[in-house]
Amino acid sequence: MSRFYVTTPIYYVNDEPHIGHAYTTILADVVARFHRALGDETYFLTGTDEHGQKVQQAAEKRGVEPQQHVDEYVVRFQEKWDALNINYDQFIRTTQENHKTVVRYLLQKLWDKDLIYKDTYEGWYSVAEERFLTDNEYEEGEWRDVRRLSETNYWFKMSNYQEKLINYIHDNPDFIQPAFRKNEVLGFLRQELGDLCISRPKSRLNWGIDLPFDSDYVTYVWFDALTNYISAIGYPTETETFEKWWPVDFHLIGKDILTTHAVYWPTMLMAADLPMPKTIFAHGWWLIGDTKMSKSLGNVVRPLDLANEYGVDALRYFLMKEMTPGQDANFTLEAFINRYNSDLANDLGNMVNRITKLIGRNFDYSLPNPGETTPADADLAQHVAGLRQKVREEFDQMRVNYAITHVFDVLREINRYLEETAPWKLMKADKERAGTVLYNAAEALRLSAVHLYPVMPDKISQLLEVMGTSAQARLSEDDWFKWGHIKAGTILGKTEGLFPRIEIPETPEEAPFALDLKPEVTFDDFTKMDIRIVKIIGAEKHPNADKLLKLQVDLGAEQRQVIAGIADHYSPEDLLGKYVSIIANLKPVTIRGEISQGMILAADDGTSVSPLIPLKDVEPGSKVR
Ligand code: MSP
């Protein structure tokens, strides 16, 4: 039996988890479930990073003690992970006594080996990054909140390991994945690697683990945090457990914490004479409509808002399918809904409905007998046969999105098979053949859908039950995977509501988060619209509608009538003589009996509405570009 150990980063407990955090944690859960289903002994570790400046500042801001702050905030992560059906084996908190003991043990070990020394350093210190910058970094990067600092600290002789690490990375192509990230790290290692400052004087920061050899200092938060990956599994006292799990199979991380994981952590392990992680896998970032997610932009997407609205498995599916390993991915509600409707409601959901309904109606929900096999049947079975291995290979490379694609390729084959054989037409003329086709389709569906179990554990359990097999995922059972394993006469269930279609919300207010951008348009698309400044030269109430105003506007070369739905916000007098903007080439329409030859552009925040006006005087008819 194989063993599989996977970790997520431990998250700072200064905020709510967003979809970026949820992504890594769901990814770890999906691969852990996959390995459990394969029968591997599996350990999945996640947790929270509770020391350091960021957390201390968050506590200060709230006016509470750091310990109280972390105790209150950690629950936000634990509850969210439960709600997202994250089945971790351990949730580690760096404020736990056993973790602190291990960090101190490790520091003492390196101190005893003369790998830590005390020195005064003057340099550029980034408050946001919580570390000294090299002169190069300072000159080349754009840093906020950087100050000159001279400080006496403890340093880990990281530079001792530069050559060794470079060689290790060259010799072990799987160590840093995807490959282009490996090259990034090698690029970084081309410059001289300095030593790592692993302490912070208490005069500046006291929320941390005391250095075992100098209680005037606390441990640098990254040295503390990285150690969680081994403290959680019994290092150094529970040797058996530790050796069972270490080295880890996958450290899953985001691309922004690559250096800490692929440089600091391996050198710490080398210094402690411990084996290297097997793979450090760095994924990209979730962007929101191509923009970075940030509180100040108000575009942070909270995973539970989506899960509550559309279902946990729908969210898990989207996140797994939409991100190509290593690359950034874009989140929009529209993409989420479209993906759900096309893959889950249409391809998968409709197929289950179709097969079970046909069997229900014509065979009383009892799986029909498969008769003689035709080339088309054999072809379908052939498509299914290779799937298990393909999915396995993708999971080994952490390419969950490709694994999903393979499954949907087979689902589309099943659809094609059904279209070609059309069992609904055969039912009268050749019921036996119709039964064979439906048996084959059901069998193909069972054998492909099971691969989606790690991604959507609840929905696929339900689906498998409907298909007459137990909810247990059986990826490890060869028998279960034999074509024909499910016997004719098995009673199928009903599928109503497995993946109901989602209707696209009509107004932005119904969207569960702030920024809901429309799909991207090209510059050409934009130039198709003719936006002009007009002067309002006549304004009155629409004769047939309270909410509308009837405006006469001057476009320079001509005058037009425009109907605007702003009577709740403006009286005709407010608007008379004003310069506003309109779309001038919009196809005219008649609104409640009055022609409208254009549309006024106005900002709308849900409560107030404000027409867009030019800042300076311009001629009526001016183009807006
Ligand atoms: N506490 C450290 C990790 C220590 S691990 C020994 C930390 N915490 S964090 O909460 O700031 O970030 C945790 C993870 O979230 C990182 O992997 C980071 O890449 C990831 N993400 C933060 N924003 C993200 C997106 N918008 N998209 C995807 N992941 C992102 O760093």
Side-chain angles (χ1 to χ4, degrees):
M1 188 165 53
S2 305
R3 290 193 177 121
F4 185 79
Y5 174 31
V6 61
T7 67
T8 72
I10 48 172
Y11 305 103
Y12 289 125
V13 271
N14 47 9
D15 210 340
E16 292 265 341
H18 56 55
I19 57 157
H21 307 129
Y23 171 74
T24 328
T25 316
I26 292 172
L27 178 62
D29 185 62
V30 168
V31 296
R33 282 176 189 271
F34 181 76
H35 280 272
R36 278 188 218 113
L38 279 180
D40 293 345
E41 216 180 336
T42 301
Y43 204 80
F44 163 18
L45 173 71
T46 188
T48 39
D49 192 351
E50 304 194 350
H51 289 126
Q53 182 177 281
K54 284 197 174 68
V55 174
Q56 179 167 304
Q57 279 169 349
E60 274 164 13
K61 223 166 140 189
R62 293 181 59 218
V64 299
E65 286 302 311
Q67 188 63 53
Q68 185 189 338
H69 169 79
V70 298
D71 288 346
E72 283 169 10
Y73 269 54
V74 68
V75 183
R76 299 182 177 206
F77 282 83
Q78 290 165 331
E79 283 176 354
K80 303 283 169 346
W81 297 163
D82 285 349
L84 295 175
N85 212 352
I86 305 289
N87 196 2
Y88 52 75
D89 292 287
Q90 188 184 155
F91 188 103
I92 189 170
R93 303 180 54 187
T94 52
T95 50
Q96 274 167 221
E97 276 316 313
N98 62 335
H99 170 78
K100 293 198 254 182
T101 310
V102 178
V103 172
R104 276 195 286 264
Y105 169 88
L106 190 61
L107 286 163
Q108 188 67 48
K109 180 167 175 169
L110 303 195
W111 176 254
D112 292 343
K113 288 176 81 175
D114 212 14
L115 291 170
I116 291 176
Y117 63 93
K118 194 174 185 183
D119 195 17
T120 303
Y121 180 82
E122 186 184 326
W124 296 105
Y125 185 84
S126 155
V127 180
E129 295 266 314
E130 290 187 61
R131 64 180 180 92
F132 281 104
L133 306 173
T134 63
D135 288 342
N136 248 349
E137 278 179 318
Y138 175 71
E139 277 154 27
E140 284 169 15
E142 281 176 35
W143 308 95
R144 277 178 302 124
D145 224 354
V146 173
R147 54 180 86 147
R148 199 75 192 161
L149 202 70
S150 167
E151 208 169 73
T152 303
N153 268 304
Y154 287 87
W155 298 78
F156 161 51
K157 292 183 183 169
M158 185 159 74
S159 56
N160 283 9
Y161 301 96
Q162 179 162 12
E163 274 316 302
K164 200 172 163 190
L165 180 59
I166 293 173
N167 292 336
Y168 188 85
I169 296 173
H170 279 302
D171 294 345
N172 294 275
D174 286 341
F175 180 50
I176 301 167
Q177 289 280 336
F180 69 95
R181 296 280 174 220
K182 173 180 86 176
N183 297 334
E184 216 175 283
V185 176
L186 285 170
F188 175 82
L189 287 169
R190 244 173 255 134
Q191 307 159 32
E192 200 184 316
L193 185 64
D195 289 339
L196 182 67
C197 178
I198 48 111
S199 66
R200 297 291 181 265
K202 281 193 181 163
S203 51
R204 192 149 66 73
L205 172 79
N206 59 25
W207 183 236
I209 302 173
D210 280 9
L211 291 186
F213 37 81
D214 190 340
S215 58
D216 287 340
Y217 289 84
V218 294
T219 311
Y220 171 44
V221 67
W222 272 101
F223 192 99
D224 165 356
L226 288 161
T227 305
N228 94 89
Y229 299 133
I230 54 175
S231 71
I233 50 166
Y235 177 79
T237 46
E238 295 157 47
T239 323
E240 212 174 299
T241 318
F242 178 64
E243 284 175 0
K244 176 170 167 186
W245 298 116
W246 195 259
V248 65
D249 290 271
F250 278 99
H251 280 321
L252 302 181
I253 59 166
K255 63 181 182 182
D256 55 316
I257 54 175
L258 183 61
T259 309
T260 49
H261 280 79
V263 179
Y264 298 3
W265 179 226
T267 56
M268 285 164 64
L269 290 166
M270 284 173 179
D273 301 313
L274 291 171
M276 293 290 103
K278 286 188 211 154
T279 298
I280 297 162
F281 186 93
H283 62 72
W285 274 54
W286 279 95
L287 305 174
I288 308 302
D290 288 327
T291 320
K292 211 174 154 178
M293 196 169 12
S294 87
K295 252 188 172 173
S296 50
L297 288 176
N299 64 353
V300 174
V301 179
R302 308 226 174 270
L304 278 201
D305 292 346
L306 289 162
N308 290 339
E309 182 98 12
Y310 305 110
V312 172
D313 281 350
L315 173 66
R316 292 171 61 108
Y317 178 79
F318 177 79
L319 293 181
M320 292 302 105
K321 172 67 184 146
E322 206 69 8
M323 183 173 263
T324 301
Q327 320 263 316
D328 289 347
N330 206 353
F331 184 93
T332 63
L333 185 60
E334 213 153 346
F336 177 88
I337 294 177
N338 287 338
R339 166 73 58 208
Y340 173 95
N341 281 341
S342 81
D343 293 4
L344 299 181
N346 286 357
D347 286 351
L348 183 56
N350 281 350
M351 187 184 308
V352 192
N353 287 343
R354 201 176 196 188
I355 295 173
T356 51
K357 276 192 183 141
L358 280 169
I359 296 178
R361 206 176 307 137
N362 298 289
F363 298 91
D364 205 14
Y365 287 99
S366 163
L367 200 60
N369 243 320
E372 238 162 74
T373 305
T374 67
D377 304 351
D379 196 43
L380 178 68
Q382 195 54 38
H383 278 290
V384 176
L387 186 59
R388 193 179 176 199
Q389 184 56 26
K390 275 194 202 157
V391 168
R392 170 89 216 233
E393 282 164 13
E394 299 297 3
F395 264 92
D396 284 348
Q397 305 279 321
M398 204 50 68
R399 290 154 39 124
V400 176
N401 66 326
Y402 294 117
I404 294 175
T405 305
H406 294 314
V407 177
F408 277 83
D409 285 346
V410 176
L411 292 178
R412 271 183 285 277
E413 286 301 327
I414 307 176
N415 245 333
R416 196 194 334 240
Y417 172 79
L418 283 170
E419 288 302 324
E420 279 171 15
T421 51
W424 48 92
K425 284 191 198 152
L426 284 173
M427 216 55 84
K428 277 214 177 87
D430 188 352
K431 193 163 178 188
E432 192 189 322
R433 176 63 192 150
T436 304
V437 166
L438 289 173
Y439 179 91
N440 289 336
E443 195 52 350
L445 175 60
R446 168 181 76 92
L447 290 170
S448 31
V450 69
H451 296 285
L452 297 174
Y453 167 82
V455 179
M456 298 184 284
D458 283 348
K459 290 288 181 182
I460 298 299
S461 293
Q462 285 170 31
L463 186 153
L464 288 176
E465 256 166 56
V466 165
M467 298 314 293
T469 179
S470 84
Q472 286 292 323
R474 306 297 192 107
L475 298 180
S476 60
E477 288 177 32
D478 290 343
D479 261 5
W480 194 91
F481 267 90
K482 288 218 176 85
W483 185 275
H485 172 78
I486 293 284
K487 297 292 164 249
T490 302
I491 300 300
L492 306 192
K494 297 193 175 136
T495 58
E496 295 318 320
L498 199 53
F499 294 109
R501 260 192 93 75
I502 301 174
E503 296 311 325
I504 304 205
E506 274 177 12
T507 59
E509 294 93 287
E510 280 179 41
F513 56 89
L515 197 62
D516 178 27
L517 292 180
K518 291 177 182 168
E520 201 173 62
V521 294
T522 61
F523 185 70
D524 277 354
D525 289 334
F526 169 70
T527 54
K528 286 183 196 149
M529 288 199 293
D530 209 332
I531 305 174
R532 299 294 177 115
I533 299 299
V534 295
K535 183 177 180 189
I536 299 178
I537 51 173
E540 59 184 302
K541 289 200 169 266
H542 189 293
N544 310 319
D546 292 347
K547 291 189 181 308
L548 302 178
L549 293 180
K550 186 164 102 176
L551 308 173
Q552 306 306 322
V553 301
D554 180 6
L555 261 150
E558 62 174 279
Q559 290 183 6
R560 288 196 186 173
Q561 174 165 297
V562 174
I563 305 297
I566 52 176
D568 283 348
H569 303 270
Y570 298 94
S571 66
E573 300 71 63
D574 293 337
L575 297 173
L576 209 56
K578 293 278 177 343
Y579 286 76
V580 298
S581 34
I582 68 164
I583 300 188
N585 62 337
L586 199 64
K587 199 171 169 202
V589 285
T590 304
I591 304 175
R592 296 284 188 101
E594 290 285 352
I595 183 90
S596 182
Q597 305 157 298
M599 190 182 93
I600 301 244
L601 295 175
D604 182 354
D605 66 3
T607 23
S608 76
V609 169
S610 166
L612 301 185
I613 59 167
L615 208 52
K616 272 191 187 165
D617 285 351
V618 286
E619 286 302 313
S622 299
K623 289 184 178 165
V624 177
R625 296 182 269 130

